[in-house]
Amino acid sequence: MFGKSLIVSLDRGNIQKSAGKKAINLHQLIRQKRNVPKSFVCTWEAHKRYLANDISLIEDLKKELGHIIKPGKLYAIRSSANIEDSSDRSFAGQFKSVMNAKSIEDVIQAIWSVWSSAKADNVLSYLEAHRIPEDQLLMAVLIQEMVPAVFSGVALSRNPVTAADEIIVEAISGSGDRLVQGGFTPIRWVNKWGYWVEKPADAPIPFSVIEQVVEETRQIAEKLGYQIDLEWVYNGEQLYWVQVREISALNQKNVYSNHISREFIPGMIKPLVYSVNIPLVNSVWIDWISEITGDLGIHPEDLSQSFFYHVYFNMGVLGKIFSGLGFPAESVEMLMGTLPPEAARPKFKPSSKTFSRLPWLVSFAFDKWTFAPKMKRALKRLEVLVKKVDFDSLEILSKQELVTAIDQHFCLMKKVAYYNVIGPLLMGMYNNSLARMLAQHGVDFNNFDLTEGMDELRDYDPSKDLEKLYMLFIQLPLKIKEKIKSGSLEEIHTLQSGEEFLREFNQTLLRFGHLSDSGNDFTNIPWREAPQMVLKMATTFEPAQKPESQKINFSDLEISGIHGVFVRLFYKRAREFRLMREEISHLYTYGYGLFRYYYLAIGKIFVNEELLEDEEDIFYLTDVEIRSIINGNSLAELPKNLVKQHKLAMERYQNISLPSIIFGEELPPVEYMSSNILVGVPTSGGVYRGRVRVVSGLKDRDKVQDGDVLVVPFSDVSWTPLFRRASAVIAESGGLLSH
C-alpha cells in the first residue's frame, strides 16, 4: 500500500510492489540517474476497486490526477501488471497502451482501457498458454509524460535469439509505438565488445546518439545484473529511457559450434566412432578441468553433439567451464569463431569464484610443475600394456568376450588419452613462457631451434622411414625399380636385389602401420592394411629441401644470472614435453586404432548371424546399439535397416554447406543454395518446416490450420489467437520487439 494515495510519482525513494513490474523497473533507471520522463503509477489498489465496482473511484482519481496532469503536456498510459516483464514471460504488447492523452478525462479513460484489456481474448489466451489463473492478474497503470520523438527505438543488451554477448539497437524516425506495433521495419545496429558487427551505410539518426544508446545500455545492464531490453526516445537534444524489462526466455537452448571440432575431429564421423570417441576424449577433458575447478557436474555427453554426422561442441557447457576457471563465460565466443578480429577480447577478471578455487589451482599447479617424471614413467608402463594387445587373434573371442575386452581397452585408452591431452597443453605452456623469455633477448621463438640435437624425434616421424626407403629404391637397378613400381608385394619377395628395401619396408609398416588419414577415425584403413599405398608413397617420396637460413640455437644465446637459470629451466622443460608429446601422440594413435579390430571381430560374427551384410557395416551402428543387439533385445532385428539409414543419410549430407552454429538439439533442415531464398532478422529461436499460409488480416483466420507457417504483412497483438494456431511466423516487416 502507498498509504491513501492511488497515484505515486516514480522518483520517490521507495516504490512498493503494488506499482507493478514495469513501474518498478523504470524506478530502477531513475535511481541510476538515467534520463527518464516524469512518470507516475496508478497502483493496483485502484484496479482492485475497479474490479469491485467502487463508484467513488473516478472522483478519487480525478482529485489525485489534478495535482499531476499539466496543461499542454501529453501522456502515455501503459500497463504495469504484476505478471508482465518477468524473466520467463513478458506479456509484451498484450495489454492496451494509449498515447497522447492530454487531459484528466483522457487519462482516466486511458486507465479504464488498460484495465479493460486485461479481459481481452488475446490476454486470456496468453494466460491460458502460461497456465496463469485469471484472478492472479493485478493491474497497475504507468502514466508518463511523452517526449516529442524525433527518433525512437529499442536496445537489447544481449541477442535474445542466439544469446550472443552483443548489444542490438533498432530505431525509426518518429514515435516508437510504430516500431513495436505498427509494422515498420527499423534500422539496425549490432555492437560486440566495441566492434560494430552490423551498421547501416546511411542512416538519418546521428551516429553519436546510437553510440550513447549502446554505452548506456551496457552500463544499465551491468548495474541491474541481468540482461535487458529498453525503449528509448530522442527529442533532437536529449536521449530519454521510457521502458526497461528483463529479456525473457534467454539461454533456454544450448548453442553448438563446429569451429573447434573442425580442427580436432574434422569431416563426417560414423556413428560408432562418435559413440566411442566422445565418451573417451570428453571424459578426459572434464577430468583434468575438474582438477582445477572441482566438480562442475558436467558429463561427457553434455560437451558435444552430432549434427549431420559432424561433431559440434556445446558452447553453453564450455561457458560454464570458463566461468569455473574465473574467465567470463563470453570468452567462449572466441572458440565459436564468431568474434570479429577487431573486437576487444574478454579479459580475465578474478572473482570470488576464482579465489574459492585456489586450493584446486595450487594443487594443480604443483602437480603439473612436477609432472615430467610422472609422465615419463606412465608412458613406459602404458606402452607395454597397449602394445601387448594381440589384435590379430581377436576373432577367437565370443561377442560377450569382445565386449568385455572393449571395456578393458577403453579404460586403458582413457589413461593414455589423459596424457595425450595434458602433455600438449603443458608443452604449449612451457613454449609460451620460453618464447616470452627469448623475446627479451630479441629472439623470435619461430626462429629458435628448440629441437636441436633431439634425434629421438625422428623415431616418431614416418617421413624419415619413407625417405630412407626412397633412397634405397633409387639405388636399385632400373628393371627392379620398374618391377617394384608395377608389381605386387608378392613379386617383391622374389627380387634378390630388393631384400634390403623389403626389410626396411616391413619395418616401416611395423613402426607406422597404425597411421591412417585420420587418427580420430578408427574406421579409416590404416597403413598396415594398405601396403600398396605405402609402397607408392615410398617410391615417389620427395625429400624435403634444407632451409636456407639457419635457426638460432640455445648455445647462441648470451644469458647469465637468475634470468639465465630460468631460461635454461624452461628450455629443458619445453624440450622434454616436445618429445613426450610425440611419444604419447604416437601411442594414443596406435591404441585408439585398435578399436577397429575389436569391432570388426564383432562385425564378422554379425555377418555370420546374418545381422549385417558386411563386417564393416558395424561402423554404422553405435556402441549402445551393438550391445543391445548382443544382449538380444528387439533391436536385434533392425541392424541392417539402421546401417542403411545411416549410409543414406551420410551420403545425403556429404556435400551440404554446414551451419557453423546450431541452436537447440533439433537437427536444422538441410537447405541448398537458391536464388529464391529470402533472408531476414530472426526474432525467436527454433527451426520449423511446414505448409505456408499467407494472410493479410484476421479476416483470413479460417485459412490457417494448426501447424501452418503463417506469413503476415506485420505483427500485431490482435492476431494472438491466429498465432496460436501457427507453428512459425514470418512477417514482411518489423523488428526484434515487434508485437
Side-chain angles (χ1 to χ4, degrees):
M1 293 286 291
F2 293 104
K4 295 183 180 180
S5 297
L6 296 176
I7 300 176
V8 180
S9 174
L10 292 188
D11 59 10
R12 61 182 292 172
N14 295 311
I15 297 295
Q16 302 297 317
K17 65 179 182 179
S18 55
K21 191 70 174 178
K22 191 172 294 182
I24 291 173
N25 288 346
L26 200 57
H27 176 67
Q28 294 294 320
L29 290 187
I30 295 172
R31 293 188 63 179
Q32 286 191 27
K33 308 298 184 184
R34 301 296 168 184
N35 201 19
V36 176
K38 186 65 177 176
S39 303
F40 307 86
V41 63
C42 178
T43 74
W44 69 47
E45 300 302 328
H47 182 234
K48 290 179 179 179
R49 290 174 60 180
Y50 162 80
L51 294 175
N53 294 316
D54 186 344
I55 59 175
S56 63
L57 176 59
I58 293 180
E59 290 303 319
D60 289 345
L61 287 176
K62 282 183 178 180
K63 186 182 299 183
E64 294 194 33
L65 287 170
H67 301 292
I68 294 172
I69 303 304
K70 297 178 181 178
K73 290 282 186 180
L74 298 177
Y75 294 86
I77 316 299
R78 298 186 179 93
S79 64
S80 183
N82 60 326
I83 56 177
E84 65 178 326
D85 287 0
S86 63
S87 60
D88 57 347
R89 55 181 180 266
S90 69
F91 276 83
Q94 297 298 314
F95 303 114
K96 182 74 173 179
S97 293
V98 178
M99 302 292 111
N100 299 311
K102 60 182 179 180
S103 65
I104 293 175
E105 289 73 19
D106 287 347
V107 172
I108 290 178
Q109 186 175 351
I111 292 172
W112 242 255
S113 295
V114 174
W115 286 340
S116 298
S117 69
K119 298 288 185 180
D121 289 343
N122 60 285
V123 173
L124 296 179
S125 176
Y126 198 104
L127 289 170
E128 180 184 350
H130 288 272
R131 299 180 180 179
I132 301 173
E134 185 181 340
D135 58 6
Q136 285 190 10
L137 192 156
L138 296 172
M139 182 66 75
V141 179
L142 192 64
I143 304 167
Q144 190 175 70
E145 288 186 5
M146 293 192 67
V147 177
V150 178
F151 303 110
S152 54
V154 297
L156 300 98
S157 64
R158 182 159 298 212
N159 190 316
V161 180
T162 68
D165 184 23
E166 57 193 16
I167 294 175
I168 300 174
V169 179
E170 294 183 339
I172 61 171
S173 299
S175 174
D177 59 318
R178 299 188 305 159
L179 177 60
V180 295
Q181 291 183 328
F184 285 80
T185 300
I187 308 170
R188 179 182 172 93
W189 293 259
V190 180
N191 185 282
K192 178 182 282 294
W193 305 343
Y195 173 79
W196 293 98
V197 177
E198 186 176 337
K199 184 171 65 172
D202 185 30
I205 304 173
F207 186 58
S208 60
V209 174
I210 302 302
E211 290 181 308
Q212 183 182 354
V213 170
V214 167
E215 183 56 32
E216 290 201 32
T217 298
R218 181 180 292 110
Q219 294 172 359
I220 292 169
E222 286 179 357
K223 288 189 176 182
L224 290 178
Y226 50 82
Q227 303 304 327
I228 53 173
D229 73 61
L230 304 110
E231 295 182 23
W232 55 270
V233 176
Y234 179 68
N235 67 356
E237 296 180 354
Q238 287 184 295
L239 176 69
Y240 290 86
W241 300 100
V242 295
Q243 284 197 71
V244 59
R245 55 181 166 261
E246 186 171 1
I247 298 178
S248 60
L250 191 62
N251 283 330
Q252 287 190 351
K253 290 188 176 182
N254 285 321
V255 180
Y256 295 91
S257 168
N258 69 350
H259 183 67
I260 309 172
S261 55
R262 286 193 304 239
E263 300 296 326
F264 288 98
I265 315 177
M268 300 188 85
I269 303 297
K270 297 183 181 72
L272 181 58
V273 175
Y274 183 88
S275 69
V276 173
N277 184 283
I278 295 306
L280 176 66
V281 178
N282 286 5
S283 63
V284 169
W285 280 94
I286 292 170
D287 285 347
W288 86 260
I289 289 170
S290 298
E291 294 179 30
I292 306 173
T293 64
D295 186 8
L296 295 175
I298 298 171
H299 303 288
E301 61 272 18
D302 298 333
L303 204 54
S304 57
Q305 181 67 278
S306 175
F307 295 100
F308 306 107
Y309 298 91
H310 289 74
V311 177
Y312 282 72
F313 283 114
N314 188 333
M315 295 295 106
V317 172
L318 290 178
K320 184 177 180 180
I321 291 173
F322 269 87
S323 297
L325 293 170
F327 287 91
E330 291 77 15
S331 304
V332 78
E333 292 194 43
M334 292 188 290
L335 302 180
M336 292 173 67
T338 59
L339 185 62
E342 299 88 345
R345 265 46 178 176
K347 297 179 180 179
F348 176 74
K349 297 178 181 178
S351 63
S352 58
K353 182 180 291 186
T354 308
F355 293 111
S356 71
R357 302 296 183 188
L358 276 178
W360 284 276
L361 288 168
V362 172
S363 175
F364 179 84
F366 179 78
D367 179 66
K368 298 307 175 279
W369 179 254
T370 59
F371 199 69
K374 299 175 187 177
M375 186 167 174
K376 288 177 182 177
R377 291 193 299 269
L379 282 175
K380 291 180 180 179
R381 183 179 68 256
L382 292 171
E383 183 175 14
V384 171
L385 295 173
V386 172
K387 296 292 180 68
K388 189 178 178 181
V389 176
D390 184 7
F391 58 88
D392 286 326
S393 61
L394 294 176
E395 295 180 11
I396 65 174
L397 301 180
S398 68
K399 291 180 292 187
Q400 288 75 15
E401 289 172 331
L402 284 166
V403 169
T404 300
I406 287 172
D407 290 338
Q408 293 171 345
H409 191 65
F410 185 92
C411 292
L412 174 60
M413 287 310 301
K414 187 175 177 181
K415 295 176 184 177
V416 177
Y418 176 81
Y419 292 99
N420 194 44
V421 169
I422 292 292
L425 286 174
L426 292 177
M427 184 195 73
M429 292 178 186
Y430 284 117
N431 283 355
N432 290 335
S433 297
L434 180 61
R436 288 193 292 269
M437 294 177 181
L438 293 176
Q440 297 178 25
H441 295 273
V443 176
D444 186 340
F445 186 74
N446 294 321
N447 295 326
F448 181 73
D449 189 358
L450 179 65
T451 61
E452 176 191 1
M454 293 180 66
D455 295 335
E456 312 97 303
L457 289 175
R458 293 174 57 84
D459 294 338
Y460 305 98
D461 184 2
S463 62
K464 177 205 68 171
D465 278 32
L466 293 175
E467 182 176 6
K468 185 175 182 179
L469 284 171
Y470 175 76
M471 298 307 295
L472 290 172
F473 172 74
I474 61 175
Q475 294 174 24
L476 293 172
L478 181 60
K479 289 184 178 181
I480 296 178
K481 283 196 289 188
E482 292 299 322
K483 277 188 171 290
I484 289 176
K485 276 187 174 182
S486 60
S488 67
L489 288 171
E490 288 75 16
E491 290 183 55
I492 297 176
H493 285 80
T494 66
L495 303 175
Q496 292 183 355
S497 300
E499 287 180 356
E500 186 180 359
F501 177 86
L502 182 61
R503 185 168 57 252
E504 288 298 328
F505 180 78
N506 289 332
Q507 285 297 314
T508 297
L509 287 182
L510 188 63
R511 283 191 289 265
F512 299 104
H514 60 284
L515 298 182
S516 68
D517 290 349
S518 172
N520 282 307
D521 187 350
F522 55 76
T523 70
N524 284 340
I525 297 175
W527 287 13
R528 66 169 69 96
E529 295 180 34
Q532 290 280 7
M533 179 193 71
V534 181
L535 182 63
K536 185 174 182 180
M537 286 194 298
T539 57
T540 58
F541 187 82
E542 295 182 7
Q545 299 294 324
K546 292 183 178 180
E548 296 180 3
S549 59
Q550 294 294 322
K551 287 193 172 186
I552 298 173
N553 297 325
F554 185 78
S555 57
D556 298 329
L557 301 177
E558 296 182 3
I559 54 174
S560 60
I562 296 297
H563 179 70
V565 172
F566 280 102
V567 173
R568 288 186 180 89
L569 175 61
F570 279 84
Y571 172 68
K572 177 184 176 183
R573 292 285 177 86
R575 284 165 62 89
E576 282 181 321
F577 279 98
R578 176 69 172 83
L579 177 58
M580 286 192 289
R581 194 279 300 271
E582 297 302 323
E583 292 173 340
I584 190 60
S585 177
H586 186 88
L587 181 61
Y588 176 79
T589 305
Y590 180 94
Y592 179 75
L594 296 181
F595 281 115
R596 171 182 178 83
Y597 301 103
Y598 286 107
Y599 286 104
L600 280 177
I602 296 178
K604 289 180 180 178
I605 296 175
F606 281 5
V607 170
N608 292 333
E609 295 176 349
E610 298 185 354
L611 295 172
L612 294 177
E613 294 180 358
D614 185 274
E615 63 188 59
E616 292 200 3
D617 285 348
I618 196 78
F619 299 145
Y620 293 90
L621 300 174
T622 67
D623 180 73
V624 171
E625 291 168 345
I626 292 169
R627 291 169 190 260
S628 297
I629 295 169
I630 291 174
N631 291 333
N633 67 12
S634 58
L635 189 62
E637 301 175 2
L638 304 176
K640 288 184 180 180
N641 290 336
L642 288 172
V643 168
K644 183 178 180 180
Q645 290 170 13
H646 285 303
K647 284 185 175 181
L648 289 174
M650 292 187 74
E651 183 179 353
R652 179 189 176 202
Y653 298 144
Q654 187 68 45
N655 298 313
I656 67 168
S657 179
L658 287 173
S660 59
I661 298 175
I662 294 175
F663 302 96
E665 318 301 321
E666 185 179 351
L667 189 71
V670 179
E671 298 292 346
Y672 297 94
M673 295 306 295
S674 167
S675 59
N676 296 322
I677 289 180
L678 302 177
V679 296
V681 177
T683 58
S684 66
V687 174
Y688 185 75
R689 184 193 298 271
R691 179 178 51 193
V692 171
R693 295 288 187 185
V694 180
V695 302
S696 58
L698 289 176
K699 60 183 177 60
D700 297 324
R701 176 175 179 171
D702 292 339
K703 292 171 56 177
V704 182
Q705 304 298 318
D706 290 346
D708 283 351
V709 176
L710 185 61
V711 179
V712 297
F714 60 88
S715 174
D716 187 82
V717 176
S718 63
W719 295 25
T720 301
L722 198 152
F723 290 158
R724 290 199 66 191
R725 292 185 180 181
S727 292
V729 178
I730 300 171
E732 184 179 357
S733 60
L736 272 175
L737 292 189
S738 294
H739 294 158

